[in-house]
Amino acid sequence: MSMETTAWTQLHSVMNAEQERRPLARATLRRIGAFARPHRRRITQFVVLGVATALLAVATPVLAGWVVTAIVSGDDEGRVVRLALLIALIAVLEAALGILARRLSATLGEGLILDLRTAVFDHVQRMPVAFFTRTRTGALVSRLNNDVIGAQRAFSNTLSGVVSNLVTLLLTLVVMLTLSWQITLLALALLPVFVIPARRMGRRMARMQREAATLNAAMGTRMTERFSAPGATLVKLFGRPEQESAEFAARARRVADIGIRTATAQSAFITALTLVSALALALVYGLGGWFALNGSLEPGAVVSLALLLTRLYAPLTALAGARVEVMSALVSFERVFEVLDLEPLIQDRPDAQRVPDGPVSVEFADVRFGYPSADKVSLASLEEVASLDTRGGDQVLHGISFRAEPGQTVALVGSSGAGKSTVAALLPRLYDVDGGAVRIGGVDVRDLSARSLRETLGMVTQDGHLFHDTVRANLLLASPSATDDDLWDALRRSRLDDLVRSLPDGLDTVVGERGYRLSGGERQRMTIARLLLARQRVVILDEATAHLDNTSEAAVQEALAEALDGRTALVIAHRLSTVRAADLILVIESGRVVERGTHDELLAANGRYADLYRTQFEERPATALPEEAAA
């Protein structure tokens, strides 16, 4: 390893040196050991290879010195040739061991990444909806990318580096002290000149690196917001392109300035340390040459000492930064474990049941509910706040009770924010009730398995979400085993088959991020097609026709009538025209049922439902246009 390479290694090690000093957490180490245990055979092989590589690295300078001594002393030509061949053989072995070590390192590191990512992904999928409504997606994704990779470096880089560098350092010191203890001590005396500037410059570089990371993150966030379909639409409607361009250019210019300052500082640092290394080599050659001319040191020993010098500085500086690397890896592990330690509020009970077979009823019995506070469902680091908001728990539903018999439809109507969607979210157990019970088929949903609930209950929300994938993939979410005939049948019943057939790739057409290549009504009908394909026994429609025009609404209502036939349904709607045929209509206001009955009964009662109905359907005097009023 050259001295310039050593300087770069030292700079990298100290870039993160401004970390809080803290003891190694034994609990963290134990958990790391649990993840490492399946890979212990590869870890052992990795360490052995590191030791072998260190032995070969020290052997080469010694053999080179022997060659020089043999040449100067006029030794047998055969000895020189044999030593040269041995050096070549060691070089080949080093190369082979290096490739093998790299493969082991990659296998070990990628295996650990796979285990950690899978564990975090599976755990996050079990988290309740409240978790996702609070956390920042970017922060969560960072745990599966940056932090997992940071944890992996503890095995693939730090572990092998510490072992091989420690062995190399000890062997190099022993050999150098054997050859000349005076030169060795002087070389060690120059070490502070090499390390201290690196520490100081490293802190400065770390500050610039963090500033650059912050600026890059801000610039990335701005691009993400502006390049998404809703953000781009908003900019088109209200933004000023020149101002957007100027603001982005200002951020990009600050990033560029940091890059220039960082590159200049790096260059000055590496040049200075390379100069120090050159002075150290000059010292070895000068003092070693003087000893050789006086007969107290063999000429070959001078060459060996010069070559060993780089083998001495490299492991010393690497080991000086090893603690920083270890602590960085531990921080990454702790950030991963932080997510794994967040217990999901909603979990299957050990004796969880399946939903009873056949048509099932739905019952809400004196249900009371308040949304959980952030400290129960989230992490401050995932919300990117200093501390979590402890507010929450205030009841938003107060004693909701109703029953839908098998095959019946219950409709929820009322003002925005009254609690209708909250009621619907409790049925598939997106949240758990604080009091009372929600039952399907007479069984409390808390006693049912999540898988059985998913198989029994389907839901279409008011903002039907589609993945950036094909039409086929989005539909198969509901029924992975569905055939093309099944898909086309669901599309026909949701009045989408003509549209999909007209698309360039039919079922294999990519719908775009969140389905933005489709219109709002088309996206909604796609989610309805997904519901029709799933054929669940209980259906929730949360404003399922909100984005449809009158013609499309009528067509989809026909499809929904067919889909709901024989199924128990909970329908939420602002358009009262969609709920007239419901078996029971509940009027929800401020989290309470204020009226209940059929459409005709509620109109006859002349209460809140009648007010809502008149607001939507009574004819109003036409409002004069401004021009007409002015005339």
Side-chain angles (χ1 to χ4, degrees):
M1 182 185 290
S2 68
M3 292 300 287
E4 182 175 354
T5 303
T6 302
W8 277 107
T9 302
Q10 174 64 9
L11 177 61
H12 173 74
S13 297
V14 298
M15 287 284 281
N16 301 315
E18 291 187 357
Q19 297 192 44
E20 178 186 357
R21 291 186 173 271
R22 53 178 177 170
L24 300 180
R26 291 185 179 180
T28 301
L29 293 177
R30 283 195 296 270
R31 297 186 67 176
I32 293 172
F35 272 98
R37 193 169 296 115
H39 308 279
R40 57 185 178 276
R41 183 172 62 86
R42 287 194 178 96
I43 292 174
T44 302
Q45 294 172 345
F46 196 33
V47 171
V48 170
L49 279 178
V51 173
T53 303
L55 291 170
L56 294 176
V58 175
T60 300
V62 175
L63 291 175
W66 289 358
V67 170
V68 172
T69 299
I71 294 172
V72 173
S73 62
D75 207 340
D76 179 33
E77 294 90 343
R79 173 177 168 79
V80 174
V81 172
R82 286 192 297 273
L83 288 173
L85 289 175
L86 185 56
I87 291 174
L89 178 61
I90 289 176
V92 173
L93 283 175
E94 275 193 283
L97 290 179
I99 294 174
L100 184 57
R102 184 68 189 95
R103 178 175 176 79
L104 269 176
S105 171
T107 303
L108 178 62
E110 294 302 326
L112 186 69
I113 285 178
L114 175 63
D115 292 346
L116 285 173
R117 279 183 176 159
T118 303
V120 174
F121 186 85
D122 291 347
H123 186 76
V124 168
Q125 283 201 114
R126 294 169 49 220
M127 299 304 292
V129 170
F131 171 81
F132 298 99
T133 60
R134 301 200 63 93
T135 59
R136 292 193 64 178
T137 304
L140 191 56
V141 171
S142 177
R143 298 296 171 99
L144 278 90
N145 288 332
N146 301 338
D147 289 318
V148 167
I149 292 174
Q152 169 257 340
R153 290 196 188 104
F155 290 90
S156 60
N157 293 350
T158 307
L159 176 64
S160 64
V162 168
V163 173
S164 61
N165 284 324
L166 190 59
V167 174
T168 301
L169 176 63
L170 293 175
L171 288 175
T172 303
L173 279 174
V174 170
V175 175
M176 289 185 70
L177 288 170
T178 302
L179 294 174
S180 174
W181 63 268
Q182 299 95 331
I183 294 177
T184 302
L185 292 179
L186 283 173
L188 291 175
L190 285 174
L191 184 63
V193 180
F194 186 75
V195 174
I196 292 174
R199 291 284 182 183
R200 293 180 177 176
M201 181 61 73
R203 294 187 182 95
R204 180 183 173 191
M205 295 289 293
R207 287 193 294 270
M208 287 192 290
Q209 187 182 47
R210 282 194 293 273
E211 184 179 354
T214 301
L215 290 173
N216 273 307
M219 187 169 62
T221 299
R222 190 174 186 86
M223 286 189 292
T224 301
E225 290 179 341
R226 268 58 178 181
F227 291 169
S228 66
T233 302
L234 188 63
V235 170
K236 293 287 186 184
L237 293 174
F238 298 103
R240 290 170 289 177
E242 296 80 6
Q243 182 180 359
E244 291 287 335
S245 178
E247 290 180 1
F248 179 80
R251 292 171 185 263
R253 191 175 299 109
R254 292 175 64 189
V255 173
D257 291 341
I258 288 289
I260 294 171
R261 285 160 48 198
T262 301
T264 303
Q266 286 178 344
S267 178
F269 173 77
I270 298 302
T271 301
L273 292 187
T274 304
L275 177 60
V276 172
S277 69
L279 295 176
L281 285 173
L283 171 66
V284 170
Y285 284 124
L287 187 58
W290 186 77
F291 283 150
L293 291 174
N294 286 334
S296 58
L297 191 65
E298 293 183 350
V302 178
V303 175
S304 294
L305 286 167
L307 293 174
L308 286 168
L309 182 65
T310 58
R311 315 277 180 170
L312 178 68
Y313 275 12
L316 271 175
T317 53
L319 288 171
R323 185 183 185 281
V324 173
E325 294 182 4
V326 170
M327 294 307 300
S328 296
L330 283 178
V331 168
S332 295
F333 269 113
E334 288 174 354
R335 284 168 59 83
V336 171
F337 293 153
E338 186 182 30
V339 176
L340 293 176
D341 289 340
L342 186 59
E343 286 293 327
L345 279 181
I346 299 174
Q347 302 187 56
D348 279 358
R349 291 178 175 172
D351 57 347
Q353 309 174 37
R354 290 186 54 80
V355 177
D357 294 333
V360 291
S361 62
V362 168
E363 181 183 5
F364 278 62
D366 193 27
V367 168
R368 296 177 298 280
F369 172 76
Y371 285 99
S373 58
D375 58 331
K376 294 182 179 179
V377 296
S378 184
L379 296 170
S381 56
L382 290 178
E383 294 190 26
E384 298 184 2
V385 295
S387 60
L388 288 172
D389 188 355
T390 57
R391 294 175 299 173
D394 296 336
Q395 280 196 11
V396 295
L397 297 181
H398 312 277
I400 300 291
S401 296
F402 67 89
R403 179 179 174 86
E405 298 296 341
Q408 284 191 339
T409 297
V410 173
L412 306 181
V413 301
S415 306
S416 297
K420 303 184 298 297
S421 294
T422 303
V423 171
L426 296 177
L427 188 55
R429 209 185 171 199
L430 300 181
Y431 298 90
D432 270 344
V433 300
D434 296 327
V438 178
R439 302 186 182 97
I440 295 180
V443 182
D444 194 315
V445 293
R446 291 169 290 189
D447 295 326
L448 296 171
S449 68
R451 180 174 182 177
S452 181
L453 269 176
R454 287 194 299 270
E455 293 172 349
T456 303
L457 192 148
M459 186 172 185
V460 176
T461 61
Q462 53 189 319
D463 183 21
H465 188 84
L466 298 176
F467 289 126
H468 182 79
D469 210 331
T470 63
V471 172
R472 183 194 309 276
N474 275 284
L475 291 177
L476 288 178
L477 284 172
S479 180
S481 60
T483 64
D484 280 7
D485 289 341
D486 295 331
L487 301 183
W488 284 116
D489 179 63
L491 290 170
R492 178 187 58 77
R493 293 162 64 193
S494 61
R495 309 310 190 260
L496 267 181
D497 55 329
D498 290 341
L499 169 70
V500 175
R501 292 183 193 280
S502 70
L503 296 175
D505 298 312
L507 289 172
D508 295 315
T509 302
V510 176
V511 300
E513 184 180 5
R514 299 182 65 185
Y516 268 101
R517 294 179 187 174
L518 304 176
S519 70
E522 290 165 351
R523 287 198 303 272
Q524 197 70 341
R525 278 184 280 167
M526 187 74 72
T527 62
I528 293 172
R530 197 158 55 194
L531 174 70
L532 295 170
L533 193 65
R535 300 186 178 93
Q536 286 117 327
R537 289 175 283 162
V538 179
V539 174
I540 301 174
L541 304 179
D542 188 356
E543 297 289 346
T545 60
H547 300 297
L548 304 179
D549 56 36
N550 291 334
T551 303
S552 297
E553 180 186 356
V556 173
Q557 286 291 352
E558 294 177 7
L560 287 176
E562 178 184 349
L564 298 180
D565 184 33
R567 293 173 174 81
T568 310
L570 187 64
V571 179
I572 300 172
H574 279 106
R575 291 184 182 179
L576 301 188
S577 59
T578 63
V579 300
R580 290 180 181 178
D583 297 290
L584 175 65
I585 300 174
L586 304 178
V587 181
I588 308 292
E589 294 294 345
S590 301
R592 292 180 171 84
V593 178
V594 296
E595 290 181 353
R596 67 178 66 212
T598 64
H599 172 74
D600 292 335
E601 290 171 349
L602 291 175
L603 281 183
N606 199 28
R608 176 60 179 154
Y609 181 84
D611 290 340
L612 293 171
Y613 188 83
R614 284 191 293 270
T615 300
Q616 290 189 22
F617 295 105
E618 278 192 347
E619 293 185 0
R620 298 180 179 180
T623 303
L625 295 175
E627 294 83 352
E628 295 172 343

